[in-house]
Amino acid sequence: MTDFPLFLDLFLILAVTIFPNFTKIFQMLHASRSLIRTSSDHFNSTMIRNSSTATKHVFACVLGSGVAGSSVAYHLTKRNIKDVLLLERASGVASPTGTSFHSPGLVSASHPAHRYKPILAHSIELYSKLEEETGVNIDFQPTGTIRLATNETRLAEFRKYVNRDYYKEGDVCKTTLLTPDQVRELAPAVDHSRVLGALHTTNDGTISARALTQALVVGAKAGGAQVIDGAIPREIRYDKEKGHWIVALEDGTLVTTRNLINAGGIWANDIARLSGHNLPVVVVEHQYAVLTPNKTPDNTPAIIDHDSTFYVRKSGDDYLFGGFEPLEKTVIREDWYKKGVPTEGSKSIKADFSRLDDAYKRACDLIPSLEGAKIDARAAVFSMTPDGYPLVGPYDKNYWMSTGFLDGVSSGGGIGKYLADWIVDGEPPAELFDTDASRYERWGDRKFFTERSRETYSMYYNWSYTDRLAGRPTDRISGVYGRLKKDGASFSFRNGWEVANSFNMGVQNEEYLPTLIREYEMVTNKCGVIDLSWKGKIEVKGRDAEKLMDYAIASQIPALGKISSGLMLTRHGGILGPMMIFHHDRQRSAFILLTEPERESRDLYWLRRAAAEKQMDVQISIVSEYLASLALVGPKSREVLSALTKSDVSDEGFPQKSTRMIRLGPVGVVCARSSTSTGQLSFELFHNRAETAKLYHALIGAGRDHGIVNFGQAALNMMRLEHGYKIWGKELTLDTNPFECGIGSLVDFNKKEFIGRESALEFSKKEFDRRLALITFDTEEGIVLDDKFVPSGNEVIRIDGQEARVGQITSGAYNVRLQKPIAFAWIDNSVGKNERLVVDIGDKRLFATSLETPTIPPIQ
């Protein structure tokens, strides 16, 4: 009923415009439509009330009892939440119609994203004790996993991975790089002459996904949860007055719940549609087989080949074999998206092992005992997201997601705990922005979802190739995207945005690092323009805007016409997000919060929840789509501005940390002066996205005589590091606090109340066992000027001559002034300031020393 009235409105408005006498008919039809809607709402409400034969009131209702759903229920009971209801649409858990039944049961502790590893580690810790706790034989075999490297690119990838492995004591899994001889000892079935090495993870391995699901359900029941099989939701709606969700089941049962968790797997989007939502997921077919070799296979770790993307594991006297089909053979069931997933689900998929012909041939080359094995081909479907990460966290008012898993068994245990803790505590327990359930809102469409998912699926094990092009660009491009591309820009992809990283400028065969050095030198000696339209921007306005800002932000709020750095903290005192705050409007009290694109949905949710908690009259919205930004940076930038405006842009007329509404040539802008992120004289120009091209061409024209150049995010990173500026996602995360990071001065304890005040006060009195330091690297050991030997983040630090890990890099870049790499790193306080440190980057070992201060202080 929802689409038709909207169409009717548009039709009627058009009719009134064309035929003035149509007004009376319009009024009658509009009244009729209102009556129809009211009657429909009344009917739906009555249907929900009257259809109930039994009503259940619970704290949390989990829809779907696969690994994801049962893990959330289990971990909620571990938080002493006994009022949990787990609903399964099939007649029993781990049904063949779903995904968990068909899972290969690979439990992997290795992952290209470092922040994801604790999630995997918790899964393994849980699975190692779950059988004893529940009495269910889950057949967890900690055989380890080996990932084969058959070419130099893959070997370099694995070498880099090992250099960036865990920096925590007590981790259950360790990763090492194996030689071919070590591969032969560990996995005799592999033809070691065909490999250059392998990545070996210990203590992970294999499990029965079906039994795991049953064990988690048993554990949840033991903790007080209720489970209903054959529970198919017919209708879901939110009761605003009572603040809870109502779920009507087909058998007439009515469930009211404070928290609704959609863990529906392949049916998750069908479930979401019942409440008017649509999820950024696709349903993809997956081919696999049980292989019976001519002789019983030897005990072996799980084996993965990243190039042909096959996996194989021993299962009794057989092998379980599967793979991720190449792009042209990947099948996404968009017909199921349009019509709904059939009740038979995975059971309705026909096996087609020919899609894995190349992978199987490759497997037989590497594991000769697979040749001639009897093939029992099978198939299943599972849901996934475009980037391969699940949807986890809040999606609406107390409507939570835990779906879209490509690695549900590996991450299910850890994600279940992560989400349960978030639901109970009201804040995410760790930094895991990759899984934000709302990350595709406002810009993702079905074309992007399908194209990107197909690419991600086919390249699932390809960790090296990050510049993935499917579905790009989206609508999230700035008004000068085409011009920047023409000027030689290379782009990275951040939450839908095309972000200019560097500019080749037509220089033939120029290496990446010399490109960045050239950009840096031009900007710091003359001036440059950078497109920052990709930055997240949230507007807060309304009668209680200042009150909300004062409550949600731990820092002092800037006065009207000023700009300042701010911090949002969790109630536990962690850094939810640093941001720049603009108090810019002359007509009313309004704020623009400048945040990161990956974080804008989470920040929006947090601010709206804080406003609701205090019942404040505010409007909070993301304005990134139409509020664009260009920044002018460098010593000549003031001269460029002066050529375009009559406004006073001198130090006296336009001091640091202030904003002005000015006109630059043909475009009106909110101009903010701040050097925080660059250390240079900088002006950021906020304007209507439709006028970006006009503004850009005006700046380029006015700056031509001053040597103006384009520069990108990479050169910006070089500038901020040399000035000791810490950024979110690198140095500043949920897993840290302001005082540990050395930014405690941003917390204003003169304010009587703000979120996280009590915890922050405790942190302010605490001594920490690590410190955040700048370190530089010596380049005298034969290291050539090559970006491959510049740290990028997460590389492990040791004291020279010792194996103990004493630190880890958060971010790095090449420093032009010192002519050597520089990086931020967490260092144990037990390490002396003059200690000689070592960091392995690729196959090179670099020596590092700690800096007491940044190489150059920022402009004040």
Side-chain angles (χ1 to χ4, degrees), residues 725-738:
Y725 181 67
K726 301 151 190 170
I727 61 173
W728 174 81
K730 299 294 185 178
E731 292 74 43
L732 311 177
T733 73
L734 268 173
D735 306 317
T736 60
N737 67 77

Side-chain angles (χ1 to χ4, degrees), residues 65 73 133 148 176 210 266 353 386 437 439 471 546 574 602 623 641 698 775 811:
S65 68
E133 177 188 337
L148 305 177
T176 56
R210 287 171 247 178
I266 59 176
F353 196 69
R439 62 188 182 273
E546 289 191 55
R602 188 176 75 185
V623 296
L641 281 188
I775 60 175
S811 60

Side-chain angles (χ1 to χ4, degrees), residues 2 74 113 122 147 151 164 277 336 407 452 459 497 687-688 701 753 773 818 828:
T2 55
Y74 170 87
H122 177 76
R147 298 168 182 266
N151 56 61
R164 303 171 68 193
H277 301 90
W336 287 9
D407 61 345
R452 190 69 161 199
M459 301 177 68
W497 288 101
H687 59 280
N688 189 313
E753 183 185 22
L818 298 176
D828 287 353

Side-chain angles (χ1 to χ4, degrees), residues 664-678:
L664 292 178
V667 181
V669 304
V670 175
C671 183
R673 184 183 166 194
S674 173
S675 63
T676 310
S677 60
T678 65

Side-chain angles (χ1 to χ4, degrees), residues 552 554 567-571 573-577 606 738 747 754-757 760:
L567 278 178
M568 281 201 302
L569 303 180
T570 68
R571 284 174 171 76
I575 298 175
L576 186 75
W606 186 262
V747 180
F754 59 82
I755 296 174
R757 189 181 192 281

Side-chain angles (χ1 to χ4, degrees), residues 178-481:
L178 302 180
T179 65
D181 286 340
Q182 290 172 319
V183 172
R184 178 179 57 185
E185 293 176 11
L186 192 63
V190 175
D191 181 357
H192 73 286
S193 68
R194 307 294 297 272
V195 302
L196 301 180
L199 190 69
H200 178 217
T201 309
T202 60
N203 291 331
D204 59 7
T206 63
I207 199 169
S208 167
R210 287 171 247 178
L212 170 62
T213 305
Q214 292 163 356
L216 289 168
V217 170
V218 168
K221 285 182 175 180
Q226 304 174 63
V227 179
I228 300 178
D229 293 334
I232 300 177
R234 183 187 69 229
E235 189 174 356
I236 299 173
R237 72 176 177 87
Y238 185 69
D239 188 324
K240 293 182 180 179
E241 292 183 6
K242 297 181 179 178
H244 63 219
W245 288 92
I246 302 173
V247 181
L249 304 181
E250 282 195 347
D251 68 355
T253 301
L254 202 66
V255 179
T256 63
T257 180
R258 170 68 176 166
N259 295 283
L260 185 65
I261 300 102
N262 186 342
I266 59 176
W267 289 280
N269 195 54
D270 293 348
I271 292 170
R273 281 175 169 166
L274 295 176
S275 53
H277 301 90
N278 268 299
L279 304 184
V281 295
V282 302
V283 175
V284 61
E285 291 187 6
H286 185 70
Q287 302 294 324
Y288 70 104
V290 175
L291 304 181
T292 304
N294 295 324
K295 64 175 184 177
T296 302
D298 296 326
N299 288 330
T300 182
I303 300 169
I304 294 172
D305 179 49
H306 278 217
D307 287 297
S308 61
T309 66
F310 78 74
Y311 58 83
V312 61
R313 55 158 288 199
K314 184 176 180 293
S315 178
D317 293 337
D318 301 317
Y319 283 116
L320 192 62
F321 174 87
F324 294 86
E325 298 97 301
L327 193 69
E328 65 277 6
K329 293 183 179 181
T330 299
V331 176
I332 291 176
R333 299 303 302 264
E334 276 300 274
D335 56 329
W336 287 9
Y337 167 76
K338 296 173 183 177
K339 300 177 183 178
V341 178
T343 303
E344 297 80 9
S346 286
K347 288 179 67 176
S348 65
I349 302 299
K350 293 182 180 179
D352 183 3
F353 196 69
S354 66
R355 296 186 202 167
L356 296 179
D357 279 349
D358 292 341
Y360 181 59
K361 182 180 179 182
R362 172 73 168 172
C364 291
D365 289 341
L366 293 172
I367 309 171
S369 60
L370 295 181
E371 188 74 48
K374 178 184 175 182
I375 300 174
D376 178 9
R378 303 180 183 183
V381 290
F382 52 78
S383 66
M384 63 172 288
T385 64
D387 58 13
Y389 286 97
L391 304 177
V392 182
Y395 199 67
D396 202 339
K397 305 174 188 70
N398 296 321
Y399 189 130
W400 305 84
M401 289 291 165
S402 187
T403 193
F405 288 84
L406 262 176
D407 61 345
V409 171
S410 292
S411 60
I415 287 291
K417 182 179 187 303
Y418 171 83
L419 186 56
D421 288 345
W422 192 344
I423 292 170
V424 175
D425 296 332
E427 59 188 49
E431 189 61 83
L432 200 62
F433 60 85
D434 315 73
T435 64
D436 187 337
S438 300
R439 62 188 182 273
Y440 296 107
E441 283 192 11
R442 293 172 299 281
W443 62 270
D445 58 22
R446 289 310 297 179
K447 182 175 182 291
F448 175 81
F449 297 156
T450 54
E451 290 183 7
R452 190 69 161 199
S453 296
R454 183 174 284 108
E455 180 187 60
T456 298
Y457 177 85
S458 66
M459 301 177 68
Y460 181 59
Y461 288 134
N462 195 334
W463 294 350
S464 295
Y465 185 63
T466 56
D467 189 23
R468 301 188 175 182
L469 303 177
R472 294 172 58 183
T474 70
D475 289 340
R476 279 193 153 187
I477 55 174
S478 79
V480 290
Y481 168 73

Side-chain angles (χ1 to χ4, degrees), residues 771-835:
R771 64 183 185 274
L772 198 55
L774 273 173
I775 60 175
T776 59
F777 298 85
D778 298 328
T779 56
E780 305 149 342
E781 308 290 329
I783 304 296
V784 295
L785 190 62
D786 192 322
D787 64 282
K788 289 184 299 201
F789 306 121
V790 175
S792 57
N794 295 321
E795 292 88 355
V796 172
I797 300 172
R798 297 178 175 86
I799 296 175
D800 189 17
Q802 300 180 24
E803 275 303 304
R805 303 176 180 195
V806 297
Q808 194 153 27
I809 289 171
T810 58
S811 60
Y814 184 78
N815 187 281
V816 178
R817 297 175 191 272
L818 298 176
Q819 297 186 27
K820 61 177 67 175
I822 185 172
F824 264 122
W826 287 108
I827 304 288
D828 287 353
N829 278 337
S830 59
V831 178
K833 292 184 178 179
N834 297 320
E835 259 336 328

